[in-house]
Amino acid sequence: MDLELDGRVALITGTSIGIGRETAKTLAAEGMRLVLVARRLELLRELQNEIFRTGAHEPLAIAKDVTAPNAHFEIRDQVLSAFGHIDVLINNAGGSRPIPVDAPEDAWEEAMALNFTAVRRLTHAFLPTMIERRWGRIINITGTSEPRGLNAAYSAKAAVHAWAKGLSREIGKYAITINSLAPGRIMSEQIVNRINPGDEHREQFARDFIPLGYFGEPKDMAYAVAFLASPKARYITGELLAIDGGMRRFAF
Ligand SMILES: NC(=O)c1ccc[n+]([C@@H]2O[C@H](COP(=O)([O-])OP(=O)(O)OC[C@H]3O[C@@H](n4cnc5c(N)ncnc54)[C@H](OP(=O)(O)O)[C@@H]3O)[C@@H](O)[C@H]2O)c1
């Protein structure tokens, strides 16, 4: 199946490692022209070279903290001056950690700023150009809606789900879709180092909680992103899809 992505412009946040990095490689292989955004420039440069060496379009790399006050406008301006427009926006930068009941205000603010506010701001910064072109794809990488305990990122991701649903109803008339993908346990830096460290612990967790019996790989996310980015996914919007090997327990 031709995903018809060749030559289209996509911006992916959080591309220095993990799901974002793999997604960039997958979309580059489909012929997309990419913008890579994260804070660690040296990792973005490595990825930029790696993609270019495959014969794909050389991506634009923007080293930026997406939570910085004017980051959304600065990123938008750089993208529009390089490409003139954007077709696909992938809001992937994010992260989570459990917090205690008496966590300081800062912990909540930080999680909301990264996992919700930055996503909303960047999307709204690019909406006018998508509306003008009467086409666009917005894909949010979110997270579980089944909290195992207190974690400010879960609340922020839930805010993304509600905001995206509302927005889908406003922008559908311009052929712009917005969808969210919720990873379960995908092997990445934060999973391996922080959330599920240790092979034995991960094997036990997978046996106990993941019907397919193993942790996912970033590719498992990247393929779903590629489909949602495609014109072929034109009739899917306002959706939330878990990519979790069956870990999510509720039925709708
Ligand atoms: N892996 C999973 O199983 C899992 C589960 C649930 C949800 N998720 C969600 O999936 C997304 C990707 O996760 P991942 O596992 O691939 O995470 P990861 O390996 O920790 O990568 C996170 C990416 O986000 C970037 N980032 C973090 N803070 C940033 C900031 N302030 N400004 C710009 N970039 C920033 C990081 O780059 P720099 O550090 O270079 O800035 C990095 O490229 C996240 O939204 C995460 O919450 C993942």
Side-chain angles (χ1 to χ4, degrees):
M1 177 169 70
D2 176 9
L3 290 176
E4 302 170 62
L5 294 174
D6 194 26
R8 291 183 195 269
V9 177
L11 182 155
I12 313 165
T13 63
T15 22
S16 55
I17 52 174
I19 293 167
R21 189 180 181 92
E22 196 59 40
T23 299
K25 291 199 265 182
T26 300
L27 297 183
E30 292 295 318
M32 294 195 87
R33 294 180 288 161
L34 300 181
V35 184
L36 315 174
V37 178
R39 290 165 301 180
R40 284 173 282 179
L41 182 60
E42 68 289 0
L43 293 176
L44 294 182
R45 289 264 179 260
E46 266 175 33
L47 179 60
Q48 201 180 23
N49 291 332
E50 193 181 329
I51 288 174
F52 188 57
R53 281 198 305 272
T54 66
H57 298 286
E58 185 176 16
L60 171 68
I62 303 178
K64 189 73 73 185
D65 180 340
V66 292
T67 65
N70 282 317
H72 49 304
F73 294 134
E74 290 163 13
I75 293 168
R76 178 201 60 193
D77 292 349
Q78 278 196 59
V79 172
L80 295 186
S81 77
F83 297 103
H85 74 281
I86 189 173
D87 296 300
V88 179
L89 171 63
I90 300 155
N91 291 307
N92 167 75
S96 77
R97 65 173 56 82
I99 55 171
V101 173
D102 61 354
E105 194 59 19
D106 285 1
W108 285 96
E109 292 295 331
E110 194 190 343
M112 291 303 287
L114 175 60
N115 294 290
F116 175 60
T117 308
V119 171
R120 176 181 57 75
R121 282 185 179 158
L122 195 60
T123 304
H124 285 265
F126 278 112
L127 271 178
T129 172
M130 287 185 175
I131 289 172
E132 195 184 311
R133 288 170 56 82
R134 298 289 194 272
W135 203 86
R137 295 281 181 267
I138 302 156
I139 300 160
N140 309 307
I141 309 302
T142 58
T144 182
S145 300
E146 293 180 341
R148 301 167 64 83
L150 200 55
N151 183 323
Y154 293 173
S155 307
K157 303 289 196 186
V160 172
H161 298 154
W163 159 79
K165 189 67 180 174
L167 186 58
S168 72
R169 305 186 63 82
E170 304 281 347
I171 60 182
K173 57 181 173 285
Y174 305 113
I176 303 169
T177 67
I178 177 166
N179 292 289
S180 303
L181 295 174
R185 287 294 193 277
I186 304 290
M187 293 293 277
S188 70
E189 196 175 273
Q190 61 166 336
I191 291 292
V192 173
N193 295 343
R194 227 178 42 238
I195 298 174
N196 296 100
D199 289 343
E200 263 181 45
H201 160 72
R202 278 196 293 277
E203 278 163 26
Q204 187 63 50
F205 184 98
R207 273 196 298 274
D208 290 346
F209 299 113
I210 305 176
L212 288 180
Y214 57 92
F215 279 46
E217 294 295 333
K219 275 270 175 220
D220 296 313
M221 295 295 301
Y223 295 141
V225 171
F227 177 67
L228 288 177
S230 165
K232 294 209 158 79
R234 66 178 193 172
Y235 210 52
I236 304 172
T237 193
E239 272 307 320
L240 166 60
L241 174 67
I243 304 207
D244 64 357
M247 188 167 85
R248 172 175 171 268
R249 293 187 66 102
F250 60 92
F252 58 89

